[in-house]
Every structure is written in structure tokens, then in C-alpha cells.
Amino acid sequence: RKEVEQDPGPFNVPEGATVAFNCTYSNSASQSFFWYRQDCRKEPKLLMSVYSSGNEDGRFTAQLNRASQYISLLIRDSKLSDSATYLCVVRSNYQLIWGAGTKLIIKP
Amino acid sequence: DTAVSQTPKYLVTQMGNDKSIKCEQNLGHDTMYWYKQDSKKFLKIMFSYNNKELIINETVPNRFSPKSPDKAHLNLHINSLELGDSAVYFCASSQDWRGPGPDTQYFGPGTRLTVL
């Protein structure tokens, strides 16, 4: 089992829809969790950290489920500009482990 | 002002050559990283330096040698380039990875290496 797993997609979603995807991790002692966004041919950029109680930033909501060892990202009212690859990152034993990313395509 | 910069942005070279990629950050961070992103888009850490000291050295051929002259710079030298080295190489930085500060990594724009 990979340390951090994501559905590669692509997720094809109409503009305005709500989309959610998960990321599972194998190390139950993992300490920190993040979602990064990577646009085509660009560098990854931090989208949001994921806190134990869940957190929201505008149209984006991140959740952590320690019991089932996954984090999730929910995007409401999706925009064309949300099209990107979303990378899950988990901090375990001082190392940052990156998922392979989920590709999201928002269609008009 | 560019926070993390890399040069060159594109690098096309022949097999067997030796090349270097430079990275600089002006964020005052203590930790810097090199990542490789291959054609399947999987981002894999190669090396990490904290205050010029090597702290992460993943299973990478010893043809790859990082050098950190100071904590604001982390260069990557590659000897005897092979076809499989073709990828995008990203440099990144963050605050001290061992400390309580945020883990946010700031990435450079990437260097697209093509080995012919």
C-alpha cells in the first residue's frame, strides 16, 4: 500500500457543481496534512492546511478523518479556474509525503 | 520579487553530459528541497537541506549531487545524464522542518530537463 494514495481522475465536473475527493494515508502517526494545487506546467502551491476539526476557506472545505486515515477536499460552486491537479501531502516523521494528485477538469 | 527562483527554466542536453541547476530563495527559510516530477506527474523528493546540512537523501543515483553554499542556495549537479533523467525538477523551501512553524513549502517555477 502506498503511503499516500489519491484517485488520479480526471474528474470531469460541470461548472457550478460541487466536487469532493479523498486522500488516504497509511501512517496512523502522521502529524500534519495539506492540500496543494498544481496548474498545468506550473509549480505546486499550498491551497490549504487540514486541521483536526476541519476547516473552510471560501468555497473550499478540508476534513480530516484520523480513524479511517483519510483527508478530503470539497469544492463548492466550482469555477473554470479550479481546473488543476490537487495534491495531498502528509507529514510523517518529519518527512513530507506527496500523493500523486487528482486531476480536476471543470467544464463550462 | 520572486520568492524561490531556479535557473535555467529549460535545459536540453545530450546523454552523458554534466549539468547544473541553481536555486535561490529570499524568504529567509532554513530548509530547502529538490523534487523530481516525471512524465506521470508524480512529485518525488530527492534531497533536503537544513541550514546547509543534508537531512533527507532519498534513493537517488549518486550522479546527482546537491550543494548548498549557504542556506539561501541549493544547487543540483547531475553527472553523466541519462534519458530517464528527463523530468521537471522543482526546488522548494520552508521554515525549519523540525520546528513548530508552518510546513508550507514554496516552490520555484521548475526546470524542465530534456535529455536527448
Side-chain angles (χ1 to χ4, degrees):
Chain A
R1 182 184 174 186
K2 290 182 184 172
E3 290 183 86
V4 176
E5 284 197 83
Q6 296 182 250
D7 183 335
F11 284 43
N12 291 287
V13 174
E15 192 176 7
T18 295
V19 59
F21 27 85
N22 291 343
C23 164
T24 59
Y25 60 95
S26 60
N27 186 347
S28 59
S30 297
Q31 300 122 329
S32 310
F33 309 87
F34 310 88
W35 284 104
Y36 277 72
R37 171 197 168 124
Q38 186 174 23
D39 292 295
C40 188
R41 302 177 79 84
K42 296 285 188 181
E43 71 273 22
K45 290 183 180 177
L46 179 69
L47 178 66
M48 57 198 303
S49 301
V50 186
Y51 302 122
S52 299
S53 55
N55 47 300
E56 193 173 301
D57 183 1
R59 297 180 294 108
F60 297 83
T61 301
Q63 298 272 356
L64 167 64
N65 186 317
R66 281 197 182 272
S68 300
Q69 294 182 209
Y70 73 87
I71 64 171
S72 63
L73 180 67
L74 178 85
I75 306 174
R76 287 182 299 278
D77 186 25
S78 53
K79 313 287 184 194
L80 295 177
S81 57
D82 294 335
S83 297
T85 296
Y86 290 83
L87 300 159
C88 165
V89 187
V90 176
R91 188 185 190 191
S92 297
N93 300 325
Y94 300 116
Q95 288 214 21
L96 287 179
I97 316 286
W98 291 73
T102 296
K103 188 169 184 177
L104 175 64
I105 301 171
I106 306 298
K107 300 195 166 182
Chain B
D1 283 345
T2 304
V4 183
S5 59
Q6 294 178 230
T7 53
K9 194 168 183 182
Y10 298 95
L11 184 54
V12 180
T13 188
Q14 300 284 338
M15 269 175 54
N17 284 349
D18 303 337
K19 290 293 179 186
S20 291
I21 308 172
K22 294 186 176 182
C23 178
E24 176 181 2
Q25 55 95 3
N26 62 8
L27 297 167
H29 287 163
D30 291 316
T31 306
M32 295 185 73
Y33 312 80
W34 275 110
Y35 286 88
K36 178 180 179 180
Q37 189 169 45
D38 59 26
S39 57
K40 294 182 180 177
K41 307 301 181 188
F42 187 57
L43 196 67
K44 189 172 182 181
I45 192 164
M46 300 173 70
F47 302 101
S48 178
Y49 270 71
N50 189 70
N51 264 317
K52 304 194 298 176
E53 180 185 343
L54 181 66
I55 52 172
I56 294 174
N57 184 357
E58 294 296 315
T59 307
V60 174
N62 58 15
R63 297 182 296 104
F64 291 80
S65 52
K67 283 191 171 55
S68 183
D70 55 62
K71 75 172 194 176
H73 295 84
L74 181 60
N75 303 324
L76 183 65
H77 187 75
I78 316 170
N79 287 328
S80 303
L81 278 155
E82 300 178 356
L83 293 176
D85 297 334
S86 294
V88 180
Y89 292 84
F90 286 104
C91 175
S93 74
S94 69
Q95 289 186 14
D96 190 336
W97 63 291
R98 294 162 298 184
D103 288 329
T104 307
Q105 297 203 343
Y106 295 83
F107 283 78
T111 296
R112 191 169 296 274
L113 171 65
T114 303
V115 182
L116 302 174

PDB file of all heavy atoms in Angstrom, chain B residues 9-42:
ATOM      1  N   LYS B   9      15.294  27.678 -16.731  1.00  0.00           N
ATOM      2  CA  LYS B   9      13.922  27.203 -16.758  1.00  0.00           C
ATOM      3  C   LYS B   9      13.779  25.996 -17.692  1.00  0.00           C
ATOM      4  O   LYS B   9      12.985  25.096 -17.434  1.00  0.00           O
ATOM      5  CB  LYS B   9      12.991  28.320 -17.210  1.00  0.00           C
ATOM      6  CG  LYS B   9      11.522  28.009 -16.954  1.00  0.00           C
ATOM      7  CD  LYS B   9      10.654  29.223 -17.127  1.00  0.00           C
ATOM      8  CE  LYS B   9       9.198  28.876 -16.788  1.00  0.00           C
ATOM      9  NZ  LYS B   9       8.289  30.020 -16.983  1.00  0.00           N
ATOM     10  N   TYR B  10      14.532  26.001 -18.760  1.00  0.00           N
ATOM     11  CA  TYR B  10      14.551  24.879 -19.700  1.00  0.00           C
ATOM     12  C   TYR B  10      15.996  24.471 -19.920  1.00  0.00           C
ATOM     13  O   TYR B  10      16.877  25.320 -20.005  1.00  0.00           O
ATOM     14  CB  TYR B  10      13.927  25.279 -21.050  1.00  0.00           C
ATOM     15  CG  TYR B  10      12.475  25.679 -20.962  1.00  0.00           C
ATOM     16  CD1 TYR B  10      12.112  27.015 -20.845  1.00  0.00           C
ATOM     17  CD2 TYR B  10      11.479  24.721 -20.999  1.00  0.00           C
ATOM     18  CE1 TYR B  10      10.787  27.383 -20.759  1.00  0.00           C
ATOM     19  CE2 TYR B  10      10.140  25.090 -20.912  1.00  0.00           C
ATOM     20  CZ  TYR B  10       9.805  26.421 -20.795  1.00  0.00           C
ATOM     21  OH  TYR B  10       8.485  26.790 -20.705  1.00  0.00           O
ATOM     22  N   LEU B  11      16.193  23.163 -20.028  1.00  0.00           N
ATOM     23  CA  LEU B  11      17.539  22.638 -20.241  1.00  0.00           C
ATOM     24  C   LEU B  11      17.431  21.436 -21.159  1.00  0.00           C
ATOM     25  O   LEU B  11      16.802  20.440 -20.802  1.00  0.00           O
ATOM     26  CB  LEU B  11      18.158  22.252 -18.894  1.00  0.00           C
ATOM     27  CG  LEU B  11      19.599  21.774 -18.849  1.00  0.00           C
ATOM     28  CD1 LEU B  11      20.529  22.775 -19.505  1.00  0.00           C
ATOM     29  CD2 LEU B  11      20.015  21.539 -17.402  1.00  0.00           C
ATOM     30  N   VAL B  12      18.012  21.555 -22.335  1.00  0.00           N
ATOM     31  CA  VAL B  12      18.016  20.453 -23.293  1.00  0.00           C
ATOM     32  C   VAL B  12      19.476  20.074 -23.515  1.00  0.00           C
ATOM     33  O   VAL B  12      20.302  20.938 -23.828  1.00  0.00           O
ATOM     34  CB  VAL B  12      17.365  20.858 -24.634  1.00  0.00           C
ATOM     35  CG1 VAL B  12      17.384  19.677 -25.611  1.00  0.00           C
ATOM     36  CG2 VAL B  12      15.936  21.343 -24.409  1.00  0.00           C
ATOM     37  N   THR B  13      19.785  18.793 -23.342  1.00  0.00           N
ATOM     38  CA  THR B  13      21.177  18.392 -23.399  1.00  0.00           C
ATOM     39  C   THR B  13      21.302  16.959 -23.899  1.00  0.00           C
ATOM     40  O   THR B  13      20.319  16.215 -23.961  1.00  0.00           O
ATOM     41  CB  THR B  13      21.834  18.544 -22.012  1.00  0.00           C
ATOM     42  OG1 THR B  13      23.240  18.326 -22.113  1.00  0.00           O
ATOM     43  CG2 THR B  13      21.230  17.556 -21.021  1.00  0.00           C
ATOM     44  N   GLN B  14      22.489  16.573 -24.240  1.00  0.00           N
ATOM     45  CA  GLN B  14      22.749  15.222 -24.741  1.00  0.00           C
ATOM     46  C   GLN B  14      23.058  14.273 -23.600  1.00  0.00           C
ATOM     47  O   GLN B  14      23.570  14.684 -22.540  1.00  0.00           O
ATOM     48  CB  GLN B  14      23.947  15.251 -25.699  1.00  0.00           C
ATOM     49  CG  GLN B  14      23.770  16.143 -26.914  1.00  0.00           C
ATOM     50  CD  GLN B  14      22.869  15.529 -27.961  1.00  0.00           C
ATOM     51  OE1 GLN B  14      22.689  14.310 -27.996  1.00  0.00           O
ATOM     52  NE2 GLN B  14      22.278  16.359 -28.807  1.00  0.00           N
ATOM     53  N   MET B  15      22.766  13.016 -23.843  1.00  0.00           N
ATOM     54  CA  MET B  15      23.154  11.967 -22.887  1.00  0.00           C
ATOM     55  C   MET B  15      24.635  12.042 -22.602  1.00  0.00           C
ATOM     56  O   MET B  15      25.434  12.332 -23.503  1.00  0.00           O
ATOM     57  CB  MET B  15      22.867  10.592 -23.507  1.00  0.00           C
ATOM     58  CG  MET B  15      21.499  10.048 -23.208  1.00  0.00           C
ATOM     59  SD  MET B  15      21.207   8.502 -24.084  1.00  0.00           S
ATOM     60  CE  MET B  15      22.599   7.541 -23.597  1.00  0.00           C
ATOM     61  N   GLY B  16      24.994  11.788 -21.353  1.00  0.00           N
ATOM     62  CA  GLY B  16      26.403  11.740 -20.991  1.00  0.00           C
ATOM     63  C   GLY B  16      26.969  13.067 -20.510  1.00  0.00           C
ATOM     64  O   GLY B  16      28.044  13.107 -19.897  1.00  0.00           O
ATOM     65  N   ASN B  17      26.238  14.158 -20.788  1.00  0.00           N
ATOM     66  CA  ASN B  17      26.728  15.465 -20.343  1.00  0.00           C
ATOM     67  C   ASN B  17      26.530  15.654 -18.846  1.00  0.00           C
ATOM     68  O   ASN B  17      25.769  14.932 -18.193  1.00  0.00           O
ATOM     69  CB  ASN B  17      25.989  16.582 -21.095  1.00  0.00           C
ATOM     70  CG  ASN B  17      26.483  16.745 -22.516  1.00  0.00           C
ATOM     71  OD1 ASN B  17      27.514  16.166 -22.902  1.00  0.00           O
ATOM     72  ND2 ASN B  17      25.760  17.519 -23.311  1.00  0.00           N
ATOM     73  N   ASP B  18      27.215  16.668 -18.305  1.00  0.00           N
ATOM     74  CA  ASP B  18      27.056  17.076 -16.912  1.00  0.00           C
ATOM     75  C   ASP B  18      26.403  18.456 -16.908  1.00  0.00           C
ATOM     76  O   ASP B  18      26.810  19.338 -17.658  1.00  0.00           O
ATOM     77  CB  ASP B  18      28.420  17.186 -16.209  1.00  0.00           C
ATOM     78  CG  ASP B  18      29.214  15.893 -16.267  1.00  0.00           C
ATOM     79  OD1 ASP B  18      28.607  14.831 -16.444  1.00  0.00           O
ATOM     80  OD2 ASP B  18      30.446  15.972 -16.119  1.00  0.00           O
ATOM     81  N   LYS B  19      25.399  18.613 -16.043  1.00  0.00           N
ATOM     82  CA  LYS B  19      24.694  19.902 -15.994  1.00  0.00           C
ATOM     83  C   LYS B  19      24.357  20.261 -14.553  1.00  0.00           C
ATOM     84  O   LYS B  19      24.275  19.396 -13.687  1.00  0.00           O
ATOM     85  CB  LYS B  19      23.387  19.847 -16.800  1.00  0.00           C
ATOM     86  CG  LYS B  19      23.589  19.761 -18.304  1.00  0.00           C
ATOM     87  CD  LYS B  19      24.197  21.033 -18.850  1.00  0.00           C
ATOM     88  CE  LYS B  19      24.422  20.912 -20.360  1.00  0.00           C
ATOM     89  NZ  LYS B  19      25.147  22.088 -20.900  1.00  0.00           N
ATOM     90  N   SER B  20      24.137  21.563 -14.334  1.00  0.00           N
ATOM     91  CA  SER B  20      23.755  22.045 -13.014  1.00  0.00           C
ATOM     92  C   SER B  20      22.500  22.898 -13.098  1.00  0.00           C
ATOM     93  O   SER B  20      22.273  23.591 -14.097  1.00  0.00           O
ATOM     94  CB  SER B  20      24.873  22.903 -12.409  1.00  0.00           C
ATOM     95  OG  SER B  20      25.988  22.117 -12.096  1.00  0.00           O
ATOM     96  N   ILE B  21      21.711  22.811 -12.044  1.00  0.00           N
ATOM     97  CA  ILE B  21      20.533  23.662 -11.895  1.00  0.00           C
ATOM     98  C   ILE B  21      20.727  24.442 -10.592  1.00  0.00           C
ATOM     99  O   ILE B  21      21.128  23.869  -9.569  1.00  0.00           O
ATOM    100  CB  ILE B  21      19.235  22.847 -11.799  1.00  0.00           C
ATOM    101  CG1 ILE B  21      19.122  21.853 -12.951  1.00  0.00           C
ATOM    102  CG2 ILE B  21      18.023  23.769 -11.777  1.00  0.00           C
ATOM    103  CD1 ILE B  21      17.960  20.880 -12.801  1.00  0.00           C
ATOM    104  N   LYS B  22      20.428  25.748 -10.659  1.00  0.00           N
ATOM    105  CA  LYS B  22      20.633  26.573  -9.470  1.00  0.00           C
ATOM    106  C   LYS B  22      19.303  26.971  -8.855  1.00  0.00           C
ATOM    107  O   LYS B  22      18.307  27.145  -9.555  1.00  0.00           O
ATOM    108  CB  LYS B  22      21.426  27.825  -9.845  1.00  0.00           C
ATOM    109  CG  LYS B  22      22.839  27.515 -10.296  1.00  0.00           C
ATOM    110  CD  LYS B  22      23.642  28.775 -10.514  1.00  0.00           C
ATOM    111  CE  LYS B  22      25.074  28.414 -10.865  1.00  0.00           C
ATOM    112  NZ  LYS B  22      25.935  29.598 -11.044  1.00  0.00           N
ATOM    113  N   CYS B  23      19.303  27.118  -7.550  1.00  0.00           N
ATOM    114  CA  CYS B  23      18.087  27.531  -6.848  1.00  0.00           C
ATOM    115  C   CYS B  23      18.457  28.525  -5.750  1.00  0.00           C
ATOM    116  O   CYS B  23      19.441  28.330  -5.028  1.00  0.00           O
ATOM    117  CB  CYS B  23      17.386  26.324  -6.237  1.00  0.00           C
ATOM    118  SG  CYS B  23      15.907  26.778  -5.289  1.00  0.00           S
ATOM    119  N   GLU B  24      17.630  29.549  -5.641  1.00  0.00           N
ATOM    120  CA  GLU B  24      17.835  30.554  -4.607  1.00  0.00           C
ATOM    121  C   GLU B  24      16.488  30.936  -4.006  1.00  0.00           C
ATOM    122  O   GLU B  24      15.500  31.054  -4.731  1.00  0.00           O
ATOM    123  CB  GLU B  24      18.492  31.795  -5.220  1.00  0.00           C
ATOM    124  CG  GLU B  24      18.662  32.949  -4.246  1.00  0.00           C
ATOM    125  CD  GLU B  24      19.292  34.175  -4.884  1.00  0.00           C
ATOM    126  OE1 GLU B  24      19.568  34.152  -6.097  1.00  0.00           O
ATOM    127  OE2 GLU B  24      19.494  35.166  -4.165  1.00  0.00           O
ATOM    128  N   GLN B  25      16.474  31.143  -2.689  1.00  0.00           N
ATOM    129  CA  GLN B  25      15.246  31.622  -2.045  1.00  0.00           C
ATOM    130  C   GLN B  25      15.552  32.853  -1.199  1.00  0.00           C
ATOM    131  O   GLN B  25      16.595  32.907  -0.557  1.00  0.00           O
ATOM    132  CB  GLN B  25      14.583  30.501  -1.209  1.00  0.00           C
ATOM    133  CG  GLN B  25      15.463  29.834  -0.166  1.00  0.00           C
ATOM    134  CD  GLN B  25      15.344  30.400   1.217  1.00  0.00           C
ATOM    135  OE1 GLN B  25      14.549  31.294   1.470  1.00  0.00           O
ATOM    136  NE2 GLN B  25      16.139  29.879   2.142  1.00  0.00           N
ATOM    137  N   ASN B  26      14.647  33.804  -1.247  1.00  0.00           N
ATOM    138  CA  ASN B  26      14.841  35.043  -0.485  1.00  0.00           C
ATOM    139  C   ASN B  26      13.801  35.189   0.629  1.00  0.00           C
ATOM    140  O   ASN B  26      13.445  36.296   1.027  1.00  0.00           O
ATOM    141  CB  ASN B  26      14.814  36.257  -1.423  1.00  0.00           C
ATOM    142  CG  ASN B  26      13.478  36.426  -2.131  1.00  0.00           C
ATOM    143  OD1 ASN B  26      12.512  35.727  -1.824  1.00  0.00           O
ATOM    144  ND2 ASN B  26      13.400  37.339  -3.078  1.00  0.00           N
ATOM    145  N   LEU B  27      13.335  34.039   1.113  1.00  0.00           N
ATOM    146  CA  LEU B  27      12.298  34.027   2.154  1.00  0.00           C
ATOM    147  C   LEU B  27      12.884  33.895   3.557  1.00  0.00           C
ATOM    148  O   LEU B  27      12.135  33.887   4.537  1.00  0.00           O
ATOM    149  CB  LEU B  27      11.327  32.867   1.899  1.00  0.00           C
ATOM    150  CG  LEU B  27      10.553  32.961   0.586  1.00  0.00           C
ATOM    151  CD1 LEU B  27       9.878  31.637   0.263  1.00  0.00           C
ATOM    152  CD2 LEU B  27       9.528  34.074   0.656  1.00  0.00           C
ATOM    153  N   GLY B  28      14.183  33.718   3.638  1.00  0.00           N
ATOM    154  CA  GLY B  28      14.808  33.532   4.951  1.00  0.00           C
ATOM    155  C   GLY B  28      14.565  32.153   5.540  1.00  0.00           C
ATOM    156  O   GLY B  28      14.736  31.946   6.741  1.00  0.00           O
ATOM    157  N   HIS B  29      14.152  31.220   4.707  1.00  0.00           N
ATOM    158  CA  HIS B  29      13.875  29.864   5.190  1.00  0.00           C
ATOM    159  C   HIS B  29      15.165  29.106   5.491  1.00  0.00           C
ATOM    160  O   HIS B  29      16.213  29.378   4.918  1.00  0.00           O
ATOM    161  CB  HIS B  29      13.067  29.094   4.145  1.00  0.00           C
ATOM    162  CG  HIS B  29      11.649  29.546   4.060  1.00  0.00           C
ATOM    163  ND1 HIS B  29      10.842  29.251   2.974  1.00  0.00           N
ATOM    164  CD2 HIS B  29      10.878  30.252   4.904  1.00  0.00           C
ATOM    165  CE1 HIS B  29       9.643  29.771   3.175  1.00  0.00           C
ATOM    166  NE2 HIS B  29       9.647  30.383   4.333  1.00  0.00           N
ATOM    167  N   ASP B  30      15.020  28.125   6.406  1.00  0.00           N
ATOM    168  CA  ASP B  30      16.179  27.313   6.771  1.00  0.00           C
ATOM    169  C   ASP B  30      16.290  26.031   5.947  1.00  0.00           C
ATOM    170  O   ASP B  30      17.354  25.438   5.864  1.00  0.00           O
ATOM    171  CB  ASP B  30      16.091  26.918   8.250  1.00  0.00           C
ATOM    172  CG  ASP B  30      16.274  28.123   9.162  1.00  0.00           C
ATOM    173  OD1 ASP B  30      17.186  28.915   8.891  1.00  0.00           O
ATOM    174  OD2 ASP B  30      15.521  28.247  10.145  1.00  0.00           O
ATOM    175  N   THR B  31      15.171  25.580   5.399  1.00  0.00           N
ATOM    176  CA  THR B  31      15.159  24.274   4.735  1.00  0.00           C
ATOM    177  C   THR B  31      14.860  24.431   3.249  1.00  0.00           C
ATOM    178  O   THR B  31      13.965  25.166   2.863  1.00  0.00           O
ATOM    179  CB  THR B  31      14.096  23.363   5.391  1.00  0.00           C
ATOM    180  OG1 THR B  31      14.338  23.313   6.795  1.00  0.00           O
ATOM    181  CG2 THR B  31      14.174  21.946   4.829  1.00  0.00           C
ATOM    182  N   MET B  32      15.622  23.701   2.451  1.00  0.00           N
ATOM    183  CA  MET B  32      15.419  23.706   1.002  1.00  0.00           C
ATOM    184  C   MET B  32      15.369  22.272   0.488  1.00  0.00           C
ATOM    185  O   MET B  32      15.935  21.358   1.103  1.00  0.00           O
ATOM    186  CB  MET B  32      16.534  24.491   0.304  1.00  0.00           C
ATOM    187  CG  MET B  32      16.522  25.977   0.663  1.00  0.00           C
ATOM    188  SD  MET B  32      17.718  26.939  -0.241  1.00  0.00           S
ATOM    189  CE  MET B  32      16.978  26.997  -1.887  1.00  0.00           C
ATOM    190  N   TYR B  33      14.695  22.093  -0.651  1.00  0.00           N
ATOM    191  CA  TYR B  33      14.416  20.762  -1.180  1.00  0.00           C
ATOM    192  C   TYR B  33      14.628  20.728  -2.689  1.00  0.00           C
ATOM    193  O   TYR B  33      14.460  21.731  -3.371  1.00  0.00           O
ATOM    194  CB  TYR B  33      12.946  20.379  -0.934  1.00  0.00           C
ATOM    195  CG  TYR B  33      12.425  20.595   0.465  1.00  0.00           C
ATOM    196  CD1 TYR B  33      12.035  21.862   0.895  1.00  0.00           C
ATOM    197  CD2 TYR B  33      12.299  19.521   1.354  1.00  0.00           C
ATOM    198  CE1 TYR B  33      11.547  22.066   2.167  1.00  0.00           C
ATOM    199  CE2 TYR B  33      11.798  19.720   2.636  1.00  0.00           C
ATOM    200  CZ  TYR B  33      11.424  20.996   3.035  1.00  0.00           C
ATOM    201  OH  TYR B  33      10.932  21.193   4.307  1.00  0.00           O
ATOM    202  N   TRP B  34      14.935  19.530  -3.171  1.00  0.00           N
ATOM    203  CA  TRP B  34      14.844  19.258  -4.599  1.00  0.00           C
ATOM    204  C   TRP B  34      13.854  18.128  -4.808  1.00  0.00           C
ATOM    205  O   TRP B  34      13.905  17.104  -4.132  1.00  0.00           O
ATOM    206  CB  TRP B  34      16.191  18.846  -5.196  1.00  0.00           C
ATOM    207  CG  TRP B  34      17.047  20.002  -5.576  1.00  0.00           C
ATOM    208  CD1 TRP B  34      18.203  20.426  -4.990  1.00  0.00           C
ATOM    209  CD2 TRP B  34      16.812  20.917  -6.652  1.00  0.00           C
ATOM    210  NE1 TRP B  34      18.688  21.530  -5.616  1.00  0.00           N
ATOM    211  CE2 TRP B  34      17.860  21.865  -6.639  1.00  0.00           C
ATOM    212  CE3 TRP B  34      15.812  21.042  -7.631  1.00  0.00           C
ATOM    213  CZ2 TRP B  34      17.945  22.908  -7.558  1.00  0.00           C
ATOM    214  CZ3 TRP B  34      15.898  22.078  -8.552  1.00  0.00           C
ATOM    215  CH2 TRP B  34      16.961  23.003  -8.506  1.00  0.00           C
ATOM    216  N   TYR B  35      12.949  18.355  -5.769  1.00  0.00           N
ATOM    217  CA  TYR B  35      11.953  17.362  -6.153  1.00  0.00           C
ATOM    218  C   TYR B  35      12.113  17.049  -7.637  1.00  0.00           C
ATOM    219  O   TYR B  35      12.509  17.909  -8.424  1.00  0.00           O
ATOM    220  CB  TYR B  35      10.531  17.893  -5.965  1.00  0.00           C
ATOM    221  CG  TYR B  35      10.044  17.987  -4.549  1.00  0.00           C
ATOM    222  CD1 TYR B  35      10.264  19.129  -3.794  1.00  0.00           C
ATOM    223  CD2 TYR B  35       9.333  16.942  -3.977  1.00  0.00           C
ATOM    224  CE1 TYR B  35       9.794  19.222  -2.491  1.00  0.00           C
ATOM    225  CE2 TYR B  35       8.844  17.028  -2.679  1.00  0.00           C
ATOM    226  CZ  TYR B  35       9.076  18.170  -1.950  1.00  0.00           C
ATOM    227  OH  TYR B  35       8.604  18.260  -0.664  1.00  0.00           O
ATOM    228  N   LYS B  36      11.723  15.823  -7.991  1.00  0.00           N
ATOM    229  CA  LYS B  36      11.662  15.444  -9.399  1.00  0.00           C
ATOM    230  C   LYS B  36      10.216  15.087  -9.722  1.00  0.00           C
ATOM    231  O   LYS B  36       9.585  14.332  -8.980  1.00  0.00           O
ATOM    232  CB  LYS B  36      12.565  14.223  -9.665  1.00  0.00           C
ATOM    233  CG  LYS B  36      12.526  13.725 -11.103  1.00  0.00           C
ATOM    234  CD  LYS B  36      13.435  12.512 -11.280  1.00  0.00           C
ATOM    235  CE  LYS B  36      13.385  11.991 -12.726  1.00  0.00           C
ATOM    236  NZ  LYS B  36      14.265  10.799 -12.928  1.00  0.00           N
ATOM    237  N   GLN B  37       9.704  15.645 -10.825  1.00  0.00           N
ATOM    238  CA  GLN B  37       8.357  15.306 -11.272  1.00  0.00           C
ATOM    239  C   GLN B  37       8.480  14.727 -12.674  1.00  0.00           C
ATOM    240  O   GLN B  37       8.844  15.414 -13.615  1.00  0.00           O
ATOM    241  CB  GLN B  37       7.435  16.519 -11.269  1.00  0.00           C
ATOM    242  CG  GLN B  37       5.967  16.159 -11.525  1.00  0.00           C
ATOM    243  CD  GLN B  37       5.028  17.309 -11.256  1.00  0.00           C
ATOM    244  OE1 GLN B  37       5.264  18.434 -11.648  1.00  0.00           O
ATOM    245  NE2 GLN B  37       3.918  17.031 -10.573  1.00  0.00           N
ATOM    246  N   ASP B  38       8.154  13.441 -12.771  1.00  0.00           N
ATOM    247  CA  ASP B  38       8.340  12.775 -14.055  1.00  0.00           C
ATOM    248  C   ASP B  38       7.111  12.931 -14.952  1.00  0.00           C
ATOM    249  O   ASP B  38       6.184  13.663 -14.613  1.00  0.00           O
ATOM    250  CB  ASP B  38       8.696  11.300 -13.843  1.00  0.00           C
ATOM    251  CG  ASP B  38       7.613  10.562 -13.062  1.00  0.00           C
ATOM    252  OD1 ASP B  38       6.428  10.984 -13.104  1.00  0.00           O
ATOM    253  OD2 ASP B  38       7.950   9.566 -12.412  1.00  0.00           O
ATOM    254  N   SER B  39       7.124  12.210 -16.059  1.00  0.00           N
ATOM    255  CA  SER B  39       6.060  12.367 -17.058  1.00  0.00           C
ATOM    256  C   SER B  39       4.699  11.949 -16.531  1.00  0.00           C
ATOM    257  O   SER B  39       3.669  12.382 -17.022  1.00  0.00           O
ATOM    258  CB  SER B  39       6.396  11.570 -18.320  1.00  0.00           C
ATOM    259  OG  SER B  39       6.584  10.210 -17.982  1.00  0.00           O
ATOM    260  N   LYS B  40       4.694  11.115 -15.487  1.00  0.00           N
ATOM    261  CA  LYS B  40       3.426  10.700 -14.880  1.00  0.00           C
ATOM    262  C   LYS B  40       2.972  11.679 -13.810  1.00  0.00           C
ATOM    263  O   LYS B  40       1.993  11.448 -13.120  1.00  0.00           O
ATOM    264  CB  LYS B  40       3.566   9.294 -14.288  1.00  0.00           C
ATOM    265  CG  LYS B  40       3.805   8.224 -15.328  1.00  0.00           C
ATOM    266  CD  LYS B  40       3.878   6.837 -14.707  1.00  0.00           C
ATOM    267  CE  LYS B  40       4.112   5.792 -15.782  1.00  0.00           C
ATOM    268  NZ  LYS B  40       4.254   4.431 -15.219  1.00  0.00           N
ATOM    269  N   LYS B  41       3.684  12.777 -13.666  1.00  0.00           N
ATOM    270  CA  LYS B  41       3.331  13.887 -12.770  1.00  0.00           C
ATOM    271  C   LYS B  41       3.514  13.569 -11.297  1.00  0.00           C
ATOM    272  O   LYS B  41       3.048  14.322 -10.444  1.00  0.00           O
ATOM    273  CB  LYS B  41       1.883  14.352 -13.018  1.00  0.00           C
ATOM    274  CG  LYS B  41       1.587  14.680 -14.458  1.00  0.00           C
ATOM    275  CD  LYS B  41       2.478  15.772 -14.984  1.00  0.00           C
ATOM    276  CE  LYS B  41       2.149  16.102 -16.418  1.00  0.00           C
ATOM    277  NZ  LYS B  41       3.137  17.035 -16.998  1.00  0.00           N
ATOM    278  N   PHE B  42       4.167  12.442 -10.992  1.00  0.00           N
ATOM    279  CA  PHE B  42       4.369  12.109  -9.589  1.00  0.00           C
ATOM    280  C   PHE B  42       5.533  12.909  -9.039  1.00  0.00           C
ATOM    281  O   PHE B  42       6.641  12.868  -9.570  1.00  0.00           O
ATOM    282  CB  PHE B  42       4.620  10.615  -9.445  1.00  0.00           C
ATOM    283  CG  PHE B  42       4.674  10.149  -8.028  1.00  0.00           C
ATOM    284  CD1 PHE B  42       3.607  10.364  -7.162  1.00  0.00           C
ATOM    285  CD2 PHE B  42       5.783   9.495  -7.546  1.00  0.00           C
ATOM    286  CE1 PHE B  42       3.649   9.944  -5.852  1.00  0.00           C
ATOM    287  CE2 PHE B  42       5.836   9.062  -6.229  1.00  0.00           C
ATOM    288  CZ  PHE B  42       4.780   9.287  -5.385  1.00  0.00           C
TER     289      PHE B  42
END
